[in-house]
Amino acid sequence: MKETIDRLRSQGGRLTVQRRLILDILESFSGHPTAEEIYAVAKQKYPKLHLSTVYRTIRWLEQEGRLSARRFEEDNRQERFDYTPSEHHHFQCSICKDVIEFESPLMNEVKKDFEDQKDVLVETASLILYGTCKRCRQLFQQEETPYTGK
Amino acid sequence: MKETIDRLRSQGGRLTVQRRLILDILESFSGHPTAEEIYAVAKQKYPKLHLSTVYRTIRWLEQEGRLSARRFEEDNRQERFDYTPSEHHHFQCSICKDVIEFESPLMNEVKKDFEDQKDVLVETASLILYGTCKRCRQLFQQEETPYTGK
DNA sequence: ATCGATGCAAAACATTTGCATATTG
DNA sequence: CAATATGCAAATGTTTTGCATCGAT
């Protein structure tokens, strides 16, 4: 956090109350909030905050490489923001819409494989797996076997 | 194509002039057009076509599983549509924005790996690699070595 | 004091929807 | 003929922008 602030400041950015607040929220938020979600939380602590400031802060962080935008299947109208620094991937359950983050060493093989095949340079990878999570699968199986009372 | 039409028709859909035209365009389009791009081409052959019809046709095909929507880094405001039937992945060059489609048997390993690890069921995977394509890398390297005249 | 950031309102943009009319099967 | 798709216009929802003012360095 301190590190992020220092780095951003050295880039010429100014550390306003609003930005500090939004950074705090991103830091503590588990999952991938939308701009509106960040705004809703931030507004409680700083009521005169405007949604456009949230967007501007997000775009600033994005440019600095501190955050990335994603769209999941669900409600793909709104962007969701991912503040996690290291490369990772996502799984989204098509039923409950929950997202699981994961790392995959195998993905490096996939990248290398493609690089060799097409003579390109791969810098980043964005992978989203879709399927059914453990809980939803179990619930679904129960429904599939209707209760007969016998 | 015929197959697609038959299947769509058996699902209760009606084969209008507009739909046939849009299907034709999707069939012949290389790459991943936006709704506006499809509309622009289609309108030439059928001037009274409306953009909303393009969207409705797209959503219909999407529901029938004949097409899927994607967003690439570049201009992620607009959806792009992918009419290719089999599962495949994408690479986008961050410089020229060109997209290469590819298949990767290794991705099955990635999926299986994750399934076992988290006890979930993976149905589909959406992978986009970002990097620099061969041509752009070569152009870039030339610029990096400035011409001195000596 | 200067330059960048904010709040506000309005614009921009992609996509969707209600409804009367036209077309398909 | 009945049901479904279309064109049009208007609405929706998200993100961006211009501008006057404010605040950080």
Side-chain angles (χ1 to χ4, degrees):
Chain A
M1 176 74 180
K2 178 112 187 6
E3 183 204 330
T4 300
I5 289 174
D6 287 349
R7 191 140 65 87
L8 289 174
R9 190 145 33 184
S10 75
Q11 235 95 139
R14 287 184 180 174
L15 196 58
T16 60
V17 184
Q18 293 92 327
R19 288 182 171 186
R20 205 188 299 257
L21 175 57
I22 291 168
L23 276 169
D24 266 348
I25 291 168
L26 286 171
E27 197 93 3
S28 66
F29 209 104
S30 70
H32 305 86
T34 62
E36 293 270 3
E37 283 167 356
I38 297 166
Y39 175 63
V41 178
K43 207 171 167 63
Q44 291 176 35
K45 293 209 178 150
Y46 192 89
K48 76 171 183 181
L49 180 73
H50 200 269
L51 180 58
S52 66
T53 301
V54 175
Y55 274 106
R56 279 192 273 230
T57 302
I58 284 167
R59 298 307 171 201
W60 170 63
L61 294 169
E62 193 178 19
Q63 261 208 304
E64 305 298 338
R66 284 300 297 111
L67 168 152
S68 58
R70 311 210 168 289
R71 301 198 192 235
F72 297 97
E73 230 173 30
E74 161 228 20
D75 196 6
N76 93 130
R77 283 184 87 129
Q78 276 172 291
E79 289 182 290
R80 294 190 164 271
F81 300 100
D82 188 339
Y83 188 69
T84 316
S86 61
E87 180 166 318
H88 61 278
H89 305 287
H90 299 90
F91 165 89
Q92 185 178 39
C93 173
S94 312
I95 298 169
C96 68
K97 312 298 181 192
D98 270 9
V99 173
I100 302 174
E101 296 193 343
F102 68 99
E103 282 171 45
S104 171
L106 260 171
M107 280 303 297
N108 290 325
E109 304 304 313
V110 174
K111 290 195 222 172
K112 253 181 242 150
D113 202 45
F114 182 71
E115 280 185 327
D116 294 345
Q117 209 179 297
K118 300 274 177 171
D119 199 10
V120 301
L121 211 74
V122 173
E123 268 132 33
T124 59
S126 163
L127 170 65
I128 308 180
L129 303 178
Y130 295 99
T132 314
C133 74
K134 187 177 180 177
R135 191 153 53 96
C136 285
R137 207 187 57 225
Q138 288 168 345
L139 287 170
F140 187 63
Q141 279 175 340
Q142 277 171 233
E143 276 169 37
E144 288 291 74
T145 317
Y147 177 68
T148 60
K150 292 181 190 166
Chain B
M1 175 75 178
K2 177 109 188 5
E3 183 203 329
T4 300
I5 290 174
D6 287 350
R7 192 139 63 86
L8 289 174
R9 189 144 35 181
S10 76
Q11 235 96 139
R14 286 184 181 177
L15 196 59
T16 60
V17 182
Q18 292 93 326
R19 287 182 172 186
R20 205 189 300 256
L21 175 59
I22 292 168
L23 276 168
D24 266 347
I25 291 168
L26 286 171
E27 198 93 0
S28 66
F29 209 104
S30 70
H32 305 86
T34 61
E36 294 269 4
E37 284 167 354
I38 297 167
Y39 176 62
V41 178
K43 207 173 168 63
Q44 290 177 38
K45 293 207 179 154
Y46 193 91
K48 74 173 187 182
L49 180 73
H50 201 270
L51 181 57
S52 65
T53 301
V54 174
Y55 275 107
R56 281 191 273 230
T57 302
I58 285 168
R59 298 309 172 201
W60 171 62
L61 292 171
E62 193 178 20
Q63 262 208 303
E64 305 297 338
R66 285 300 296 110
L67 169 153
S68 59
R70 311 211 168 288
R71 296 191 196 244
F72 297 96
E73 230 173 30
E74 161 229 18
D75 195 5
N76 93 129
R77 283 184 84 134
Q78 276 172 292
E79 291 182 288
R80 293 190 166 272
F81 302 99
D82 189 340
Y83 188 68
T84 317
S86 62
E87 180 165 318
H88 61 277
H89 306 288
H90 298 91
F91 165 88
Q92 185 177 39
C93 173
S94 312
I95 297 169
C96 68
K97 312 298 181 193
D98 269 9
V99 172
I100 302 175
E101 298 193 341
F102 68 100
E103 283 171 43
S104 173
L106 262 170
M107 281 301 298
N108 290 324
E109 304 304 312
V110 174
K111 291 194 221 171
K112 255 181 240 150
D113 203 46
F114 182 71
E115 281 185 326
D116 294 346
Q117 208 178 302
K118 299 275 177 167
D119 199 10
V120 301
L121 210 74
V122 174
E123 268 132 31
T124 59
S126 162
L127 168 67
I128 307 180
L129 303 178
Y130 295 99
T132 314
C133 72
K134 187 177 180 179
R135 190 152 55 97
C136 285
R137 207 187 57 226
Q138 287 169 344
L139 287 170
F140 187 64
Q141 278 173 341
Q142 278 172 234
E143 278 168 36
E144 288 291 75
T145 315
Y147 176 68
T148 61
K150 290 179 191 169

